[in-house]
Amino acid sequence: MKRKTLTQYLVEQQRQADGLGAEVRLLIEVVARACKSIGHAVGKGALGGVLGSLDSENVQGEVQKKLDVLSNEILLEANEWGGHLAAMASEEMETIHAIPNRYPKGEYLLLFDPLDGSSNIDVNVSIGTIFSVLKAPTHVAGAPVTEADFLQEGSRQVAAGYAVYGPQTMLVLTVGKGVVGFTLDREMGSWVLTHENIRIPEDTREFAINMSNMRHWAPPVRRYIDECLAGATGTRGKDFNMRWIASMVADVHRILTRGGIFMYPWDAREPGKPGKLRLMYEANPMSFIVEQAGGAAVDGVNRILDIKPGQLHQRVGVVLGSRNEVERVAQYHREAGQ
Ligand code: P6P
């Protein structure tokens, strides 16, 4: 049977009773097309002269890779003219990006990490693009959009998704009706629906965490990982496996595909920061996707999608994946009074 394309899936979603609005459908198609361009640039690697770092740093204080900046520009240019957005925000830009006056404005806000996992670019390991869609507050009609308009809980996302540039290039998407996956048919240049209902198993034997930070973890995290490491000889009564790709998109995609728990918790290296990952364009979109696939996502104890943001680039601890394992970690935090 002929597989559906992204366009066909979005048209069918639009026809539903409480369906997708035309602007959101256009938004997703534009972002998906931009991800094709990013994937094409990533795939060229050294042949495209796009590897390596620039002399600049982003707002996070991280050295920018050429592909970070290129990916950001691709997403900005693709989304400026369509009339579906009020403004955009990116990990690579300190302030929000207003739609130029020469273009019509729409009702939605787009946030993205244009190329997540940048440390993996130069070593040819999977990286990805993460995006999140919010509705702009009604008052923005006519008034300039401000950063405050973006500071909405993750539970208010209209859509979220990521592209993963790996052995296959895939687009994983939720519009609040479960999670679907599209594989890029590189010959036709079309996104083909290959995963119609992605679900995360509630249990797992696989954890993902950067073990080199072990001495900096809070006790509940250390307790959980120690139990996993004790395996069948310990209280868990089963052996665990470990994976850490250091590209959130790749680690989360594995968890959506076969289960697992992903952890980037608070640690004592920078005690004033709640975690390394960013709430608005990493944790929130991934948490929306994970919950829509039957998983769970907490900052250690609180549901990530309930967090009221204070700043655009604020960071957060992240524990997400197979529901029963995430709940165990949250329980250990509650028992520790955290
Ligand atoms: P570490 C990539 O830089 C990233 O933001 C996530 O994609 C990834 O999960 C994490 O940082 C890796 O961090 O400290 O292991 O290099």
Side-chain angles (χ1 to χ4, degrees), residues 116-117 210 244 246-248 262 264 276-278 282:
D116 178 71
N210 184 335
W244 188 249
S247 272
M248 186 185 197
F262 171 93
Y264 213 114
K276 171 179 183 180
L277 303 181
R278 271 65 58 157
E282 289 176 329

Side-chain angles (χ1 to χ4, degrees), residues 58-246:
N58 63 15
V59 63
Q60 326 290 340
E62 296 162 342
V63 172
Q64 287 183 303
K65 301 283 190 183
K66 291 176 190 168
L67 273 171
D68 281 328
V69 173
L70 175 62
S71 303
N72 194 57
E73 286 165 1
I74 288 171
L75 280 160
L76 291 179
E77 287 160 21
N79 282 285
E80 278 188 332
W81 48 268
H84 50 285
L85 291 182
M88 289 180 255
S90 165
E91 180 196 42
E92 296 301 327
M93 300 185 302
E94 181 155 9
T95 56
I96 65 171
H97 180 86
I99 299 300
N101 289 330
R102 64 183 179 279
Y103 295 127
K105 289 182 178 50
E107 299 177 347
Y108 293 92
L109 302 174
L110 178 66
L111 302 95
F112 47 82
D113 181 354
L115 203 57
D116 178 71
S118 303
S119 61
N120 281 323
I121 294 175
D122 297 347
V123 294
N124 198 16
V125 169
S126 299
I127 49 184
T129 299
I130 310 172
F131 66 92
S132 170
V133 182
L134 293 167
K135 193 125 176 25
T138 47
H139 77 274
V140 297
V145 183
T146 65
E147 180 174 311
D149 295 317
F150 283 81
L151 302 182
Q152 304 176 36
E153 293 86 342
S155 56
R156 296 170 61 175
Q157 290 174 98
V158 172
Y162 63 81
V164 52
Y165 312 114
Q168 302 97 44
T169 294
M170 281 194 69
L171 179 75
V172 172
L173 173 71
T174 184
V175 294
K177 306 277 184 60
V179 180
V180 288
F182 301 85
T183 302
L184 181 63
D185 175 338
R186 291 189 174 108
E187 288 158 25
M188 296 294 290
S190 50
W191 293 105
V192 177
L193 182 64
T194 49
H195 298 70
E196 298 204 17
N197 179 26
I198 296 176
R199 301 295 294 171
I200 300 177
E202 293 193 341
D203 295 301
T204 184
R205 292 169 177 254
E206 198 158 66
F207 66 90
I209 194 166
N210 184 335
M211 293 293 285
S212 69
N213 300 325
M214 179 179 276
R215 66 186 182 283
H216 304 299
W217 295 337
V221 173
R222 183 67 191 261
R223 173 183 172 191
Y224 176 76
I225 296 297
D226 282 347
E227 288 178 357
C228 290
L229 295 174
T233 65
T235 57
R236 300 300 310 272
K238 60 182 182 179
D239 289 341
F240 281 75
N241 191 21
M242 195 211 91
R243 287 285 182 275
W244 188 249
I245 303 173

Side-chain angles (χ1 to χ4, degrees), residues 5-19:
T5 62
L6 174 64
T7 300
Q8 191 174 347
Y9 171 80
L10 292 174
V11 166
E12 290 175 355
Q13 286 300 319
Q14 202 175 345
R15 284 191 193 126
Q16 308 266 333
D18 57 345

